[in-house]
Amino acid sequence: MFEDRPKFRVFGTYAGQAFPDTLLEGLTTRLQGAAPEDWARVEVYVNTRRMQRRLAELFLQGPARLMPKFHLVTDLAHDPLLTDLPMPVPTLKRRLEIAQLVRKLIQRVEGLAPASAVFDLANSLAGLMDEMQGEGIAPDVIEGLDISDFSGHWERALQFISIVQRYFEGGEAPDEEARQRASVLALTQRWQENPPDHPILVAGSTGSRGTTFHLMTAVAGLPQGAVVLPGFDFDMPRRVWAQLSDPKTSEDHPQYRFSRLLNALELTSDHVIPWTAAEPQAAARNRLVSLALRPAPVTHHWRQEGPHLTELDQATQDITWLEAPNQRVEAKAIALRLRQAAELGQTAAVITPDRNLTRRISTALAAWNITPDDSAGIPLNLTAPGRFLLHVLDLAQSQLTSETLLVLLKHPLTHSGSERGQHLRNTRELELYLRRSGPAFLTAQALLQWAEKEDHYRPWVDWINANVFDQWPQGPQPLENWITHHRKLAEGLSAGLVGEDGELWEQAPGRDTKTEIENLTRYAPAAGDVELIDYTAILRGVLSAGQTRDQNHVHSNILIWGTLEARVQSADLVILAGLNDGTWPEPPAPDPWLNRSLRLQAGLLLPERRIGLSAHDFQQAIGAKTVWLTRSLRSDDAETVPSRWLNRIENLLNGLEKPDDASWMDHMRARGNEWLGKVEALEEPQVAPLSIRPSVAPPVASRPERLAVTDIKHLIRDPYAIYAKRVLNLRRLDPLTKSPDAPLRGTLIHDLLEAFLKTGPWTNAEAAKATLLALAEERFQSTVPWPAARRMWLARVVRFSEWFVTHEMKRQAHILSTKTEIEGDVNLPELNFTLAGTADRIDLLNDGTAHIYDYKTGKPPSPAQQLHFDKQLLLEVEILRRGGFPGLGPLKVAGATYIGLDNAPSELPAPIDETDVWSDFSKLIRAYQSPEQGYAARRAMLKADDASDYDHLARYGEWSTNQRATVIKVSK
């Protein structure tokens, strides 16, 4: 295939060329007129499975001919004939083995690392080991590093690194990287001894890893061997290539890896030949980007070469530069352009490493029923089966909340075998019960108590208890025990009460999840005995690493690619999105083992390597014919920094003179702003007139004939709430998750003080205080299951106990008897209305009068608020005066007092004789018995931002409180 005989043969393709198409075109040109078997003798080594598949797809499109052998470079590790080493150990198995070693080390050396970090440390350590094996770095090289500046950290790191020493010494089955390197060394040695005479190519790799680099140098020197480099910069001058030899300053340059290869082969950039005669899609743009991305030491070349750049109008005319105010708008603009591409029949690809941005784009496209073909798929932990398994794992917690149970019961895979409709109805009834009166933490007995109300709930609850409250393994257990138990529960919950097979393992996500679980089960013995926390970390790591794809419902022309996928495919429109520093390129990941200096000493890969590879991906992608460059100006609440590559391009263009007034950047930004304007127009809210402020007037016969004293406050401040609650019988659902909130605290302190008063009389204040605190400790222990809240509430009782007991002793001197939590009511026959109330405490005094007290764990209402709005205590006085409390009869009321029990306890007397409360109350009730009087929404709220349980029903927000309420007569 090659007639020339240079010492080394290196080719390149231009940035922007579709590499698989160009590679096949070059093969076709060179094998034109060759015998059919010549095609079959060609071997091509590529670096990704996707490129291998793409080459096969293109070849099968015709014409008919024998297919070359398309190999994957990493498949050499699995060739049994290249080396005597055993087959490589699966990656998951090796990581589990290392996790076991890390766990034992942490247990042996106190304070070395937290137990929860075992699996993360094992993954990181396995990655370092793979890198050392791939680069041919032995452990003794690491041990011999100069660590004079950070010996403390290095001692800890060496303890971890030493536990993988065994995998370098032989006797152990090799890792994939180790066997890959051994296979490549054996293959290249075989070639050196007996050079093959058929064409062998390494295509599409940058040679960033040591093993692949060695393969490339060997193939380049074969008689019929060649290396085809993707996205080679033919526009960069030779003097600039000479500046790329130092990794300290050039590792992050897109062409650094090619410079390293050429230096190893003792070649210059002039020796690299274009693989085909085809011109690049955007030659002028390639020249612009080449100059913009020059290495930092030679950016002064901008002044020298910039004025000589030609065809800049052509270079920038197909670029849209879009800077959105935030990521949501960025995603929306991209989605609009993708929608247009779908309508025009164009292929459009979004390239970005930002998965949050791609999810936003997919969500925006869903509004138009467009599902993009996302090459990255969906992580298994985000699929329905993956989430279901994690919800089931939550059952292993020591305490089970209502929320945890209902999330699981409502999952679409729960009870998916049969009779799911009845299961959902039962779940709804259970939820209502748990919201109303469920315990903070569930037990099997609590569910059985609910089931006793209806016989048909009992089998369903038995099924729940059998699966949900099943005893999980305790303490260290073999990993397979955890998996087996977890899988048994998951399958039982998915099957349902009848026991038919559920849908857990069906569909593509279920099948892929099952495969990962079976692989984990297969290699579980390597992990040894693990705790629940270790199993949780292992399972989450396996599910987050696994992915699934469902191509049955995607749009074939709308594509989302990661940077790796973009290397092997092309599209009519390429959108480079998320171009902010910290996103593209991503910052180097923290390395817990070796810093940059030590990596350079050891000959390992530098952190800037990933930045250089990202830069190469960018240079490749921006060479497409039509390109969008997008970024967001803000991320969450912080301003973003443009990607360094955008900064370079902008600074270069702004420094060049343009014949007309507008710069090239202005034109590119104008195209982006046009699409931002379309987003703004799309999202512009429709101007709608304000809705009316409702004042609902139901028939008098439907209006409440009985109210509690606590309702009167709402009747004055927010009458609509009384209409919704007492006429429509609507109640706000209680929160699902029980929490130690203020209402619960108030109820418990009320109950505590009621119980305390029943223990009197006391010999002295100290005895009374001891009794109060002992009662608080005893009662809170059983009624407050939250340890932190229990301690805080006990501390509150301690704070007010001395003050309360001191005042209580004074009160006891004048008391004949005390009634607590006493219910009463009084009828207004002329209005056919009853007022009811429950007094916290009524003291019958020695002089025949009474004193009413109301406990407030918050701030008591002021006298002015009591006179006009919060009339609860004043109305209880009127009920007592009229004999409304059973067994007491009409009594003269000496006083009424709020006892405030907040951080500054106090007593606040009520203004019982400052106004005619009963007359005002009668007028209020009489007014609401008029058919024309409506229940107005938010009539006189204490604060403008106070929320009502019924604001959404009144459509508050569609009207303002400065509007006059409109009476709406309804049938009920």
Side-chain angles (χ1 to χ4, degrees), residues 102 105 112-113 121 125 156-164 593:
V102 170
L105 177 63
L112 190 61
L121 286 171
L125 192 56
R156 293 190 298 272
L158 270 183
Q159 290 185 71
F160 284 102
I161 295 175
S162 64
I163 65 177
V164 297
W593 314 114

Side-chain angles (χ1 to χ4, degrees), residues 27-94:
L27 284 175
T28 303
T29 301
R30 287 170 173 78
L31 291 174
Q32 191 170 10
E37 61 271 17
D38 290 344
W39 276 94
R41 297 179 71 233
V42 175
E43 290 187 72
V44 181
Y45 289 91
V46 296
N47 61 333
T48 66
R49 187 77 62 188
R50 294 181 184 89
M51 188 179 295
Q52 185 185 37
R53 287 196 300 264
R54 180 62 179 161
L55 285 169
E57 290 170 1
L58 291 172
F59 193 88
L60 293 175
Q61 291 176 7
R65 51 199 167 177
L66 296 176
M67 183 181 290
K69 301 179 183 68
F70 295 124
H71 303 297
L72 194 62
V73 170
T74 53
D75 282 348
L76 292 172
H78 301 276
D79 190 329
L81 303 178
L82 290 177
T83 175
D84 294 334
L85 290 175
M87 284 290 108
V89 175
T91 302
L92 177 59
K93 181 179 180 180
R94 183 65 84 209

Side-chain angles (χ1 to χ4, degrees), residues 327 330 350-361 560-563 577-580 583-584 586 632 635:
Q327 195 178 75
E330 179 186 7
V350 178
I351 304 173
T352 179
D354 189 344
R355 296 303 301 166
N356 287 330
L357 179 58
T358 60
R359 279 191 281 270
R360 285 180 179 266
I361 294 170
I560 294 178
W561 296 334
T563 54
L579 283 167
N580 283 324
T583 300
W584 200 0
E586 297 178 89
S632 58
S635 175

Side-chain angles (χ1 to χ4, degrees), residues 22 31 97 129 159 176 277 353 365 458 519 533 597 609 639 670 712 715 754 810 842 873 879 916 925:
T22 305
L31 291 174
E97 290 176 353
M129 187 177 73
Q159 290 185 71
E176 187 162 330
L365 288 172
R458 183 59 186 263
N519 285 339
I533 189 173
S597 174
R609 165 182 167 270
E639 291 188 6
I712 305 306
L715 185 62
E754 179 184 0
K810 294 178 182 179
I842 299 176
L873 194 53
I879 295 175
D916 189 348
I925 299 303

Side-chain angles (χ1 to χ4, degrees), residues 445-461:
Q445 189 59 37
L447 296 184
L448 288 174
Q449 289 175 358
W450 169 73
E452 289 175 357
K453 299 178 181 179
E454 299 286 347
D455 290 341
H456 66 272
Y457 290 145
R458 183 59 186 263
W460 184 71
V461 167

Side-chain angles (χ1 to χ4, degrees), residues 393-464:
L393 185 58
D394 289 338
L395 300 178
Q397 299 172 3
S398 59
Q399 293 178 311
L400 181 65
T401 64
S402 300
E403 182 181 18
T404 300
L405 175 62
L406 288 172
V407 164
L408 181 59
L409 293 180
K410 290 184 176 184
H411 194 283
L413 291 178
T414 301
H415 211 298
S416 55
S418 63
E419 299 184 9
R420 178 164 169 80
Q422 184 61 48
H423 163 77
L424 293 177
R425 284 192 290 271
N426 294 348
T427 300
R428 175 183 177 276
E429 295 301 320
L430 176 60
E431 179 180 357
L432 293 176
Y433 163 75
L434 293 176
R435 286 181 180 274
R436 285 192 298 265
S437 53
F441 299 105
L442 292 178
T443 62
Q445 189 59 37
L447 296 184
L448 288 174
Q449 289 175 358
W450 169 73
E452 289 175 357
K453 299 178 181 179
E454 299 286 347
D455 290 341
H456 66 272
Y457 290 145
R458 183 59 186 263
W460 184 71
V461 167
D462 288 340
W463 166 75
I464 292 177

